[in-house]
Amino acid sequence: ALDKLTVLDFLSQSAPGVDTFWPNAYYRSDEGENLARVGALGWLAGFRNYLDREEGAASAFRVPGGMSTWIDELVRNLKKPVQFKHVLQGVVQSGDSVWLDFGGEALPFDRVVLTLPPRCYDHVFFDPALPTGKAEAIEKCEMGRTIKIGLIYSYRWWEPVGWSGHLFSDRPLQQVWPTLDPSPTLCAYIGGDDALYW
């Protein structure tokens, strides 16, 4: 039964008559989508991971020096340099090689791991075609609609005025929070229908 409900349906049934503004504003940022488009069963299964953690525990997982240091380490061990500004147009398997077609340039590889967002697969030609089951799964995979913004200032101006930097709003800029490190940065989310509009 939960698989047929959205999170918003579940909340409305669990607490009839209660205004759903707060849970929608709070969890929309976590889910990257309006709760009317998030399935209750999957959401509840994921929510179990939050029950035993301490406040801020998920946000505390950081790579020392930032994610770029991790990526730099991966790149350092590659046999060839990373190439940017290449738009993938086709994937062709031929013999023992996988050819990636970048429109005007095709490069051979021994193995390829594609990490494309589901909607990008529509713009890539595959030879042979993706197996039917995989193609159908990608076609049915919906994506959250979220814009994340980093507002970088010269100093943490919100601290001298006595504001924590945390904000929830029913306006498009629905959640704001300060970064954990001492940098003068506020992060913000616009999610769901508002993100589609913006």
Side-chain angles (χ1 to χ4, degrees), residues 92-99 109-110:
V92 177
Q93 294 183 30
S94 176
D96 292 336
S97 296
V98 180
W99 290 79
F109 296 89
D110 296 330

Side-chain angles (χ1 to χ4, degrees), residues 58-86:
S59 300
F61 292 110
R62 297 282 191 265
V63 174
M67 287 299 290
S68 62
T69 58
W70 180 66
I71 293 168
D72 290 342
E73 186 63 29
L74 288 174
V75 168
R76 186 175 25 250
N77 293 308
L78 294 176
K79 292 178 183 174
K80 293 185 178 181
V82 174
Q83 297 186 37
F84 296 98
K85 298 183 181 178
H86 282 63

Side-chain angles (χ1 to χ4, degrees), residues 169-184:
S169 168
D170 58 354
R171 307 302 299 163
L173 201 62
Q174 62 208 26
Q175 182 181 4
V176 177
W177 71 97
T179 56
L180 291 177
D181 59 30
S183 70

